[in-house]
Amino acid sequence: MLRIDGVDICLAKVEGRKNCFSSVPFRLTKSRWVADYDVQSCRLCDSKFNQLRRKHHCRQCGDVFCNKCCKDKIILPQYNLMESERVCDSCKPIAVLVAQSISSQPSEQHIAALEINDMLQTSDGIRKAIQFGGMQAIVQLAMIDNIEIRKCLLSAIHTLATYPPLHEYMAITGAIKAVMRNAVCLLANLACSQQDQACLIDYLAILTDLILDYGQCEDVEYQIARCIANTTRYENAAKALVKDLEKIIKYHLKSENEKISCQAERALCNLLSYCPDETIDYLARNGAAEFLKVIAKTPEILKSISSHLKMYARELDT
């Protein structure tokens, strides 16, 4: 239970893991149904129930409504309800958006991201989102590689972060990892440009520290590895990262995740070009001699490294 702008709300609960920063769709715990005999009038329009005005339960909030206020039926995959179920007029907007966030259709995911972000612009919208899976939807949508969706979700997370009572809940659901993943992805993209490299040099120490902080989150770790690989394409950054070779070898090169280890190989090839002595020494001392053997047997890589070294030598002569 949390208090948002003077109103107490129950937080959405997830079956199984609480961290929703995953490609596996989350499932929300169903709300407790309000007993029929406890309710004498519709929760929305306040119309009295009688023999003609029957009671209906909303499958999302569990409260009791008249047919007029609870007539729409939708599929609720977030509750593992795969046939159309009644939802009240109050719950329908967030129920539809959370269902769309789980969809495999990019168009529906995009709509969910846009409209959840819009919903969070009001206190009532925030309460509805937090109570019925909006936070989980935001975190899961952050896994999608779509720049427009990312913009919406980072805006949504920023809005929620302005409410201190939500901070712990955001961390539990994986919102912090979602932010980090997208932030590091942005850095990785910036690292592709030599012009932007100068701006990133000061942040390299922070970047390599993240290797230790997010070692258990492969998606964030992949973006860190990609950022390092892109950064080492340029001499100044490569030289600055040599001191962190031990981390790169231990956590990236030796990773069981092939995508991460592949990015580490890219980084090491670049480092071998600019800082061959230090890189070879680190590789040999940290049990990565096999990587050196592979390189020695790969003419394309040797040619690339040789080309970089010759270019570097020419620069020293001038």
Side-chain angles (χ1 to χ4, degrees):
M1 183 80 72
L2 282 182
R3 178 171 285 264
I4 301 293
D5 289 341
V7 179
D8 290 330
I9 58 170
C10 294
L11 302 173
K13 294 182 179 179
V14 180
E15 294 180 357
R17 73 184 196 290
K18 295 180 180 179
N19 187 332
C20 296
F21 190 63
S22 167
S23 57
V24 180
F26 59 86
R27 291 289 179 265
L28 299 176
T29 302
K30 297 181 180 70
S31 300
R32 182 183 65 84
W33 276 33
V34 176
D36 282 354
Y37 55 77
D38 284 341
V39 184
Q40 307 307 317
S41 59
C42 175
R43 294 294 198 192
L44 277 181
C45 69
D46 205 33
S47 297
K48 297 288 184 182
F49 292 119
N50 53 42
Q51 289 184 330
L52 296 178
R53 186 177 290 114
R54 296 178 58 197
K55 299 176 180 180
H56 298 280
H57 279 89
C58 170
R59 267 51 173 186
Q60 175 156 280
C61 67
D63 219 330
V64 182
F65 305 87
C66 67
N67 182 63
K68 180 182 176 182
C69 296
C70 193
K71 62 182 181 299
D72 292 327
K73 294 184 177 182
I74 62 173
I75 295 173
L76 299 168
Q78 60 267 43
Y79 296 102
N80 205 28
L81 298 173
M82 307 312 292
E83 295 184 3
S84 296
E85 303 283 355
R86 283 183 185 266
V87 291
C88 68
D89 291 347
S90 178
C91 284
K92 183 182 175 182
I94 186 61
V96 169
L97 293 176
V98 174
Q100 287 177 318
S101 75
I102 300 174
S103 169
S104 59
Q105 298 298 318
S107 59
E108 292 197 0
Q109 294 169 339
H110 192 198
I111 291 171
L114 283 170
E115 296 193 10
I116 289 175
N117 185 37
D118 289 343
M119 179 178 285
L120 297 179
Q121 303 312 306
T122 67
S123 296
D124 184 61
I126 288 174
R127 288 193 291 269
K128 285 289 183 186
I130 298 305
Q131 195 169 0
F132 297 117
M135 178 78 80
Q136 287 77 9
I138 289 169
V139 173
Q140 189 147 77
L141 284 168
M143 296 286 296
I144 298 171
D145 287 323
N146 179 297
I147 189 65
E148 294 303 320
I149 289 178
R150 283 180 184 168
K151 287 179 182 177
C152 292
L153 299 178
L154 289 175
S155 174
I157 292 172
H158 173 74
T159 299
L160 293 172
T162 62
Y163 290 82
L166 289 175
H167 290 177
E168 183 179 356
Y169 188 56
M170 291 176 71
I172 291 171
T173 56
I176 308 303
K177 287 184 177 179
V179 171
M180 286 307 308
R181 188 260 192 192
N182 284 282
V184 178
C185 182
L186 173 61
L187 288 175
N189 293 339
L190 287 173
C192 293
S193 163
Q194 187 167 12
Q195 184 177 358
D196 292 325
Q197 282 284 323
C199 303
L200 297 177
I201 290 289
D202 293 337
Y203 297 96
L204 292 181
I206 298 173
L207 183 66
T208 52
D209 285 343
L210 291 176
I211 294 175
L212 301 178
D213 295 337
Y214 287 89
Q216 300 303 313
C217 183
E218 289 191 344
D219 196 64
V220 175
E221 200 66 36
Y222 167 70
Q223 295 299 338
I224 294 171
R226 187 170 76 90
C227 187
I228 289 173
N230 288 347
T231 302
T232 54
R233 291 166 57 194
Y234 304 98
E235 183 181 345
N236 289 341
K239 289 182 175 180
L241 281 167
V242 167
K243 61 181 176 56
D244 294 300
L245 262 171
E246 188 173 347
K247 293 179 189 174
I248 295 171
I249 294 168
K250 182 177 180 180
Y251 296 101
H252 288 174
L253 183 64
K254 296 182 179 181
S255 171
E256 294 182 1
N257 185 309
E258 188 175 341
K259 290 172 62 179
I260 294 174
S261 61
C262 182
Q263 294 300 327
E265 290 170 5
R266 282 183 58 215
L268 289 168
C269 286
N270 292 332
L271 289 168
L272 281 167
S273 300
Y274 293 117
C275 316
D277 292 341
E278 298 97 319
T279 305
I280 290 171
D281 182 56
Y282 268 104
L283 286 167
R285 285 193 291 108
N286 287 278
E290 287 300 317
F291 177 70
L292 289 173
K293 292 178 183 178
V294 171
I295 288 179
K297 296 176 182 178
T298 311
E300 294 83 1
I301 296 178
L302 286 174
K303 183 178 179 181
S304 174
I305 294 172
S306 175
S307 175
H308 275 85
L309 287 173
K310 288 177 181 177
M311 187 185 305
Y312 182 52
R314 284 197 298 270
E315 290 176 359
L316 289 176
D317 290 337
T318 57

